[in-house]
Amino acid sequence: MIEKLKDSDTYKNWMSLTVEKKEGYEDDPLNGKNYPAGDPFVMKHNGIYYLYPSTHFGLSDIRAWSSEDLIHWKYEGIVAKDERLKMAYAPEVTYWNGYFYMVTSPSGKGHYVLKSDSPTGPFTLETSNLGMSIDGSVFIDDDGKWYFYNSGSKGIRGRDMPTPLTFGDEHILQGTSMNHWTEGPFLLKRNGTYFMTQTGNHLMSKGYRINYSISKDGPLGKFVTPYNNPIIINTDDGFHGLGHSSTVMGPDLDSYYMVYHNNKNPVAPGIGHDRYLNMDKLVFNGDKMDVLGPTNFPQKVPKRAPFYTWIQRDGAERNFDKLTHGKTTTLVSKSKTKESYTAEFNFRAVLESKRVESKKSQAGVIFSYENESHFGMVSVHMPEKKLELVSVQKEERRSIAAASLPEDLDLTKLHTIRIEKDRQQVKVYFDGMQKLDAEMKDLTAGSIGYVYEDFVLLPDYTAFSHEVNGTSDFEAYKPVPGSIEAVHYLKGKERGYHTKQKPEMQNPFRPEDDIAIDKTDGNTYLVNLNHKGDWLQYNINVKEDATYGIDFRVRGQKEAAELEVYADDQWISNIVVPPADDDQKSGWVKMKGIGNLPLRADLHTLKLKVKRGEIHLLDFDVYKTDLEKLDRTIDLIKGGDTAGGLFSDWTYIGKWSVSNQGLTSAPDVNSMAFTGKTTWSDYTVEADLTLSKTSLQDDAGILIRASNESTHKDQVPDALMGYYISFSPSRVALKKLNYDAAVLEKADVSFQKDKKVHIKIQAEGSTIRVYMDNSPKPILQYTDSNAFTTGKVGVRSTANAVVFFERLSIKSGAN
């Protein structure tokens, strides 16, 4: 075991915000009270995080909190106040060239833009009501162009912004719809890919959830929805209604965190939106994004950068040496980076008017500084408005790359330079825009700092981290239950991985490692374990003492493989990965491991070691499973185990009743009923049902492997995750439900009205088989390459169908 969790280095969702007394607001009726964290937006500015939630309690103001670590939040008070801001929805703030621009939609009745020269206000209204629905969000691309996004019924709307106060024509973004009302957009660009997160459908539903889509075609281009959606959902009592997220970079300068709310009482009358703050780490595998969550058990707090300081607060003398050569001043950090790192610099200039036009006027940052004749430098040239990347070797200055900066650049306002350096490349960002990318192999470890000439520079928040381009994902503790990317093993040979044979080619994802990693057609990466004794090891955080199952997403698994599994270097189980036919569309398939993992709640390492065969692994899911041997037969007729006319161990959505004919739903209502646990895995379900009335447009049937079910009039009708075997007068269909419905397989079968039919359904691994009337041959058989492998059993009936379920049996395995 690595270490025990301590309260001092952990946090737990959900978190509360508190209104504290502020000078000038002593009569605030909310002093000392909790404030709901609905629609939380977090921005980072000069090393400080600022949180702006939606307005509550019928007020006409907007409030803010600040934090250095994303965990401890200080109340900053009212940052905007105006009668037109009553119940301001989803305020979001963008910094640009000295000013902070806020967009918000009070009471959901159209947007306003506000402006301030401070993140804590006061913000003043700059526009009239601009319309454009709700949940406005701004994105600035690398070329400095602005874009605006808002909610809609057919997906997220997007438009360009000629200025921070003007808006272009609306575009419905293809691939961003959640099949109903879609809201809460946020756009992140990473390594050239645009990641759009969005929320649906109704905030008062337990099934409020977050999806993501990606685009290679630009901020207003075509988006596609990856297979691993939703990335945030949970409908369990007490932690549900999860959504409306924003994303922010963590204090280690490399991690990304998703901030979202839960709605503690989404359907309780009179309570309103009882919402709280949540945060989980985002991880990336190429163009695949995932969340280490949602969690509501203790997690490790976000890591801080090993070096950080606010120079205007702390002074420069403690952390920097000051060198002066003529009119050139250089600040050099006493602390040194490793060879690969990320560094962040924040600064503004004090310019004398007579020097503004001087061609020598420049501000810059230095990195990988070994001595005055060996370092890298990024300079901002005034008045050319040019950014230049420079290499200094043996006192020879060589220009590597250059880019133009915005024409309205005001260097007297705070600006940020960010440098990402690995062993091959240097990327340079200016105010969040990637401007330069060049090979600089001659630079290694060293100091960081500032250089300026012909004017005074005021540097402030400065930091460096030994993480770069997502390497923080490798050491992060992955929550269990949860999904783990195979390439996110721990750093270091014989610590994170072991291979018997070094690959012939350098891998494209972790080039410093001697391990075989391949790139898929979907721009993600998988690990090849080709020899007996090869292993991968991960940090995990186990929620509770339990037995867990494990599913593997593999490619080319023609023969079975056997893995030894270790927790904290202690053997706990052997798992067999059966052979599989690859899915032709995606190139990989999800396979249920044969075996179980006993794990205890705490932090652990988890090692997967090849005992026989080989495995080409993209990711794996670890989930709580149930060793209970199922053998239940339920007579769904009047006189059975009933409470209030229904069965006491079932949950019901819609209107159901029990008669001598069996369990049936009321007409004109889409209804579902469930029994069992989400931890049930392989089982056989048999049922007797009678179709009394259905139209061609309606059906009824059996639900298997169901989870995350919810109900609300303003969301999709297929509001659960699982499988549905549906029966209509002339067809049997196997559908996959994931807050939408996709027909996986179907068969033409004629049903007689009011005639009892016996159904048998086997769920085994990734394969589902459906039998009718004791036939030995299935009428439907389907292997799902992205299968749901656990879940409840249930029944379902659409609004105009009349069906009676008379008997239901559930037994373990494929009987």
Side-chain angles (χ1 to χ4, degrees), residues 500-661:
K500 184 177 181 181
Q501 183 174 326
K502 183 178 179 179
E504 295 181 3
M505 301 291 291
Q506 185 182 63
N507 80 66
F509 187 76
R510 300 178 65 166
E512 299 175 10
D513 293 351
D514 296 330
I515 193 167
I517 293 178
D518 287 337
K519 187 176 182 179
T520 73
D521 293 339
N523 197 32
T524 54
Y525 299 88
L526 72 158
V527 182
N528 301 297
L529 300 180
N530 298 322
H531 305 94
K532 180 180 178 180
D534 288 357
W535 53 260
L536 302 169
Q537 185 161 251
Y538 306 84
N539 279 336
I540 61 171
N541 181 7
V542 180
K543 180 178 182 179
E544 59 183 313
D545 296 357
T547 300
Y548 293 85
I550 184 167
D551 295 341
F552 301 92
R553 194 177 308 278
V554 296
R555 185 172 74 177
Q557 196 69 35
K558 300 304 181 184
E559 297 181 358
E562 187 174 4
L563 303 177
E564 298 174 335
V565 184
Y566 297 80
D568 308 323
D569 290 324
Q570 299 295 314
W571 177 89
I572 58 171
S573 183
N574 282 11
I575 300 289
V576 174
V577 185
D581 293 328
D582 284 351
D583 176 74
Q584 296 303 310
K585 293 181 181 179
S586 65
W588 58 75
V589 62
K590 185 176 180 180
M591 295 302 298
K592 188 179 187 323
I594 302 172
N596 295 296
L597 309 177
L599 293 170
R600 298 188 66 83
D602 212 333
L603 302 178
H604 303 278
T605 57
L606 182 75
K607 181 186 293 183
L608 304 178
K609 183 177 181 180
V610 176
K611 183 177 182 181
R612 62 179 173 92
E614 59 184 51
I615 185 170
H616 311 289
L617 183 60
L618 179 72
D619 59 43
F620 55 97
D621 297 333
V622 185
Y623 51 90
K624 187 178 175 183
T625 191
D626 204 315
L627 299 181
E628 172 190 4
K629 185 172 179 62
L630 299 173
D631 189 2
R632 301 185 182 185
T633 299
I634 309 164
D635 288 325
L636 302 175
I637 57 174
K638 194 171 184 179
D641 174 24
T642 62
L646 295 175
F647 296 87
S648 58
D649 60 348
W650 288 58
T651 58
Y652 300 90
I653 294 175
K655 297 181 180 179
W656 292 87
S657 61
V658 178
S659 71
N660 292 329
Q661 293 177 276

Side-chain angles (χ1 to χ4, degrees), residues 670-732:
N670 290 321
S671 301
M672 297 183 287
F674 301 90
T675 187
K677 305 175 183 177
T678 56
T679 53
W680 286 0
S681 183
D682 288 359
Y683 47 69
T684 297
V685 177
E686 296 190 56
D688 293 326
L689 60 87
T690 301
L691 292 176
S692 182
K693 175 188 175 184
T694 55
S695 66
L696 294 177
Q697 290 76 36
D698 291 283
D699 53 49
I702 307 296
L703 296 162
I704 61 171
R705 288 182 172 169
S707 65
N708 286 313
E709 65 276 7
S710 68
T711 180
H712 194 278
K713 63 183 181 65
D714 292 318
Q715 70 175 22
V716 297
D718 303 299
L720 75 151
M721 301 166 71
Y723 298 98
Y724 174 43
I725 298 86
S726 69
F727 302 90
S728 62
S730 59
R731 191 176 78 166
V732 178

Side-chain angles (χ1 to χ4, degrees), residues 6 28 81 96 154 159 197 276 288 331 345 349 376 385 398 417 471 505 556 601 645 669 707 718 735 761 768:
K6 301 175 183 178
D28 188 343
K81 189 175 181 64
W96 181 258
K154 296 182 179 179
R159 60 186 79 211
T197 52
Y276 296 83
K288 181 183 177 185
L331 293 178
F345 310 83
K385 310 291 175 63
R398 182 165 58 95
I417 289 178
T471 58
M505 301 291 291
V669 178
S707 65
D718 303 299
K735 300 179 182 179
I761 303 163
I768 296 172

Side-chain angles (χ1 to χ4, degrees), residues 226-240:
Y227 71 88
N228 63 317
N229 273 298
I231 52 174
I232 290 280
I233 187 171
N234 195 76
T235 62
D236 294 345
D237 287 343
F239 188 59
H240 47 217

Side-chain angles (χ1 to χ4, degrees), residues 322-338:
K322 186 175 182 179
L323 311 175
T324 304
H325 298 280
K327 293 183 178 180
T328 302
T329 301
T330 306
L331 293 178
V332 181
S333 68
K334 296 175 182 179
S335 299
K336 298 182 184 296
T337 69
K338 294 182 180 179

Side-chain angles (χ1 to χ4, degrees), residues 85-382:
L85 296 177
K86 185 172 182 178
M87 292 297 289
Y89 286 6
E92 294 200 4
V93 177
T94 303
Y95 176 75
W96 181 258
N97 206 26
Y99 296 100
F100 298 84
Y101 296 89
M102 176 186 288
V103 293
T104 186
S105 53
S107 301
K109 297 178 181 178
H111 283 88
Y112 294 84
V113 181
L114 299 87
K115 184 179 179 181
S116 176
D117 59 5
S118 167
T120 56
F123 285 85
T124 57
L125 285 158
E126 296 290 318
T127 69
S128 58
N129 193 321
L130 299 166
M132 302 184 300
S133 185
I134 65 170
D135 293 355
S137 185
V138 171
F139 169 75
I140 303 175
D141 210 348
D142 295 334
D143 58 5
K145 292 182 179 179
W146 287 46
Y147 298 88
F148 180 80
Y149 305 95
N150 61 270
S151 306
S153 59
K154 296 182 179 179
I156 299 302
R157 269 71 168 159
R159 60 186 79 211
D160 63 356
M161 296 177 64
T163 75
L165 302 179
T166 58
F167 300 80
D169 295 333
E170 178 182 277
H171 303 265
I172 298 177
L173 301 184
Q174 182 180 348
T176 63
S177 173
M178 295 180 72
N179 306 307
H180 202 283
W181 180 258
T182 306
E183 61 187 27
F186 185 92
L187 191 68
L188 169 72
K189 187 177 185 181
R190 185 177 184 276
N191 293 336
T193 300
Y194 299 87
F195 295 84
M196 170 74 76
T197 52
Q198 58 268 348
T199 296
N201 293 125
H202 196 282
L203 66 92
M204 297 299 278
S205 167
K206 287 185 176 183
Y208 201 53
R209 65 204 182 281
I210 302 171
N211 275 15
Y212 81 102
S213 307
I214 65 170
S215 173
K216 298 287 193 178
D217 299 330
L220 299 178
K222 177 183 177 182
F223 284 78
V224 296
T225 303
Y227 71 88
N228 63 317
N229 273 298
I231 52 174
I232 290 280
I233 187 171
N234 195 76
T235 62
D236 294 345
D237 287 343
F239 188 59
H240 47 217
L242 313 181
H244 198 118
S245 68
S246 61
T247 297
V248 69
M249 184 167 286
D252 68 354
L253 310 183
D254 183 71
S255 300
Y256 285 95
Y257 286 88
M258 177 173 281
V259 182
Y260 59 98
H261 73 240
N262 69 298
N263 203 352
K264 186 177 178 183
N265 295 293
V267 294
I271 293 179
H273 305 330
D274 191 17
R275 299 182 289 190
Y276 296 83
L277 181 65
N278 300 268
M279 180 183 70
D280 284 306
K281 189 179 187 302
L282 279 173
V283 293
F284 295 87
N285 177 0
D287 285 348
K288 181 183 177 185
M289 182 171 81
D290 209 348
V291 178
L292 300 183
T295 67
N296 63 334
F297 65 103
Q299 303 297 310
K300 297 285 284 184
V301 299
K303 285 188 176 181
R304 303 290 293 261
F307 172 79
Y308 64 93
T309 179
W310 284 268
I311 294 176
Q312 296 305 307
R313 183 191 72 184
D314 303 334
E317 297 79 9
R318 185 183 354 172
N319 295 301
F320 295 87
D321 294 320
K322 186 175 182 179
L323 311 175
T324 304
H325 298 280
K327 293 183 178 180
T328 302
T329 301
T330 306
L331 293 178
V332 181
S333 68
K334 296 175 182 179
S335 299
K336 298 182 184 296
T337 69
K338 294 182 180 179
E339 186 173 3
S340 297
Y341 60 90
T342 300
E344 182 180 325
F345 310 83
N346 292 266
F347 58 91
R348 65 183 181 90
V350 178
L351 293 175
E352 297 180 12
S353 59
K354 66 181 181 180
R355 293 181 175 178
V356 171
E357 300 301 322
S358 170
K359 292 184 179 180
K360 292 184 178 180
S361 295
Q362 61 175 310
V365 303
I366 58 173
F367 61 99
S368 293
Y369 184 96
E370 294 185 43
N371 52 57
E372 62 183 9
S373 61
H374 190 102
F375 59 93
M377 179 169 63
V378 177
S379 294
V380 180
H381 293 274
M382 299 291 288

